[in-house]
Amino acid sequence: MNEIGNCRSRTGIIFSEYFLLHRTGRNHPESPARLQAIIRGIKHLNLLKNKRCVLIKPRIAKLDELEMVHSLRYIRAVRNLCNSGGGILDEETGTLVSPESYAVARLAAGGAIRAVDMVMEGKLRNAFVISRPPGHHASRASASGFCIFNNVALAAKRLIDKFSLSRILILDVDVHHGNGTQEIFYDTDEVLYISLHEDPSEFPRSGFIDEVGKGKGKGYTVNIPLPFGASDPAYWKAFKSVVVPIVLCYKPEFILVSAGFDGYFKDPIGELLLSASLYLKVFQVIIDLAHRLSGNRLVAVLEGGYCPSFLKKIVPAVLSRMMNMEAKVTEHRPRFSITIHKIAEKIIKEVKEIQSRFWNL
Ligand SMILES: [Zn+2]
């Protein structure tokens, strides 16, 4: 591992082999193979030998850190289930734990906390937390959608509590709505939560356009639900015409990305038809926004993405861009449906109408 003292211009890769020890059983899509593929991709590009990059070990999140977001009762329930040999945390979504999962989930949470600490302390330029289990479906007192502790929410809370930030953007590009993250920050203006996702009617049944926050948080939740089968042009239009103008208005002090890659057209779970080049284009805009608005303070935290051969390609490419290096991805384009595109355009128009009550769109 490189020296940490010399890292302020470097991109941190937060990773530990321990993340592979959370076992979900045979044929479960959220498997250790996802991270193994990413690490193979990183090695293939020789990123760890590059001076612009540094491998950082995560640390275990302390109990009181987890309590920034989760109830003690829930944390103990996770611990007890793992200590008794593991089992099902949430039946409906197939959220399972093995005996090691409590420690591994705390390590994933601690990895996200460590990443924001190091960026804030000027020890890293930006960072990508390559961890599992993912987090954005985990709410204050329940697990869901393969998520146990909400890593990105814990990172945001850390920025508020330790570093007194009050304008944090969480941009959720996972194909599913981050119901846990939305719930945790629904009534605050200190976190702007923006999510682009597929139709959430079946799962997680939140993330509709009229969910905009409440109380002080009104206007600080932005949901863009795209119809099943929507592809690059609709996603790009939503991103450029809704996400970017709102972020420019908000002027975040820190950008956190819930980096899910399950909108990819070959993903076995996601129902959008996005390409690798769309993801790269979106991340480049996020990197540029962080440069322009947040002093480059950007941390991406891995969420979903269940096509290991795609993760192997896209995560190292995004990392290269975060390191200010060229990265290209080539592939066949997913199919495009004009009918679905028109439905998507109508939804984007409705989102703009609703959000223009709060933002200059
Ligand atoms: Zn997802």
Side-chain angles (χ1 to χ4, degrees):
M1 191 155 72
N2 294 316
E3 294 285 314
I4 289 172
N6 251 336
C7 305
R8 63 187 62 226
S9 59
R10 291 185 189 174
T11 295
I13 297 177
I14 287 76
F15 174 74
S16 162
E17 299 266 336
Y18 285 108
F19 291 143
L20 307 177
L21 298 181
H22 164 56
R23 286 176 290 121
T24 46
R26 220 172 224 271
N27 298 326
H28 196 287
E30 203 294 279
S31 70
R34 302 172 60 232
L35 264 52
Q36 287 166 325
I38 295 172
I39 296 305
R40 274 200 303 278
I42 288 171
K43 286 184 177 160
H44 179 72
L45 291 187
N46 264 329
L47 294 185
L48 292 174
K49 299 214 168 99
N50 192 302
K51 285 196 162 53
R52 297 185 197 184
C53 172
V54 58
L55 181 66
I56 303 287
K57 285 186 180 151
R59 66 166 173 82
I60 293 259
K62 296 177 200 144
L63 197 57
D64 62 335
E65 289 172 339
L66 293 177
E67 281 187 274
M68 292 189 295
V69 162
H70 298 288
S71 69
L72 188 56
R73 191 190 161 102
Y74 169 64
I75 298 165
R76 283 186 176 146
V78 175
R79 182 198 63 190
N80 293 344
L81 184 60
C82 294
N83 286 349
S84 66
I88 301 169
L89 262 182
D90 180 54
E91 177 107 49
E92 190 190 347
T93 58
T95 309
L96 313 169
V97 287
S98 59
E100 302 83 359
S101 301
Y102 176 60
V104 179
R106 284 179 68 175
L107 196 64
I113 293 170
R114 180 140 206 235
V116 298
D117 278 1
M118 290 187 72
V119 170
M120 285 307 293
E121 288 159 2
K123 293 174 182 165
L124 291 175
R125 179 166 183 261
N126 52 28
F128 202 130
V129 187
I130 298 170
S131 59
R132 55 185 292 276
H136 73 152
H137 297 304
S139 55
R140 187 172 152 69
S142 59
S144 175
F146 319 152
C147 300
I148 299 173
F149 299 131
N150 196 317
N151 309 314
V152 86
L154 285 158
K157 277 281 191 188
R158 177 75 163 189
L159 290 168
I160 296 168
D161 293 353
K162 185 174 179 200
F163 297 99
S164 305
L165 299 195
S166 57
R167 282 196 323 281
I168 297 146
L169 168 66
I170 300 180
L171 183 51
D172 192 330
V173 298
D174 188 278
V175 82
H176 302 105
H177 178 241
N179 54 306
T181 312
Q182 171 169 304
E183 183 203 285
I184 292 160
F185 299 113
Y186 206 56
D187 58 0
T188 178
D189 59 357
E190 293 182 319
V191 173
L192 168 62
Y193 177 68
I194 304 181
S195 177
L196 300 117
H197 44 263
E198 66 180 28
D199 183 343
S201 307
E202 289 166 27
F203 173 78
R205 298 189 288 273
S206 69
F208 298 98
I209 57 177
D210 55 351
E211 294 164 23
V212 296
K214 67 173 186 204
K216 260 172 66 183
K218 213 163 183 185
Y220 293 92
T221 293
V222 179
N223 283 306
I224 312 172
L226 297 169
F228 293 141
S231 48
D232 292 4
Y235 200 96
W236 187 241
K237 183 167 187 171
F239 198 78
K240 290 296 273 185
S241 69
V242 182
V243 179
V244 171
I246 291 177
V247 174
L248 287 173
C249 277
Y250 186 62
K251 296 187 181 64
E253 297 163 304
F254 202 110
I255 299 181
L256 292 166
V257 185
S258 263
F261 297 94
D262 39 7
Y264 183 58
F265 73 108
K266 289 180 185 164
D267 191 276
I269 292 185
E271 304 269 3
L272 295 189
L273 300 177
L274 307 180
S275 71
S277 51
L278 183 275
Y279 273 107
L280 210 47
K281 219 158 77 163
V282 162
F283 271 90
Q284 186 60 57
V285 173
I286 298 169
I287 292 163
D288 293 344
L289 286 168
H291 180 69
R292 190 165 155 193
L293 305 170
S294 322
N296 288 317
R297 295 196 288 228
L298 167 67
V299 168
V301 182
L302 187 68
E303 301 282 2
Y306 305 100
C307 182
S309 61
F310 179 55
L311 291 174
K312 180 184 171 193
K313 178 159 74 168
I314 192 66
V315 175
V318 168
L319 268 165
S320 300
R321 291 291 179 88
M322 289 172 75
M323 293 159 67
N324 215 1
M325 287 173 11
E326 266 304 304
K328 281 201 175 71
V329 278
T330 49
E331 64 175 359
H332 297 296
R333 294 252 152 197
R335 66 176 191 276
F336 171 79
S337 151
I338 187 72
T339 315
I340 294 169
H341 184 73
K342 283 193 171 142
I343 299 168
E345 283 193 313
K346 192 167 162 275
I347 294 168
I348 294 165
K349 194 165 165 261
E350 286 167 12
V351 173
K352 279 167 98 168
E353 277 165 19
I354 289 178
Q355 291 295 337
S356 57
R357 303 207 306 258
F358 313 106
W359 305 98
N360 198 0
L361 289 174

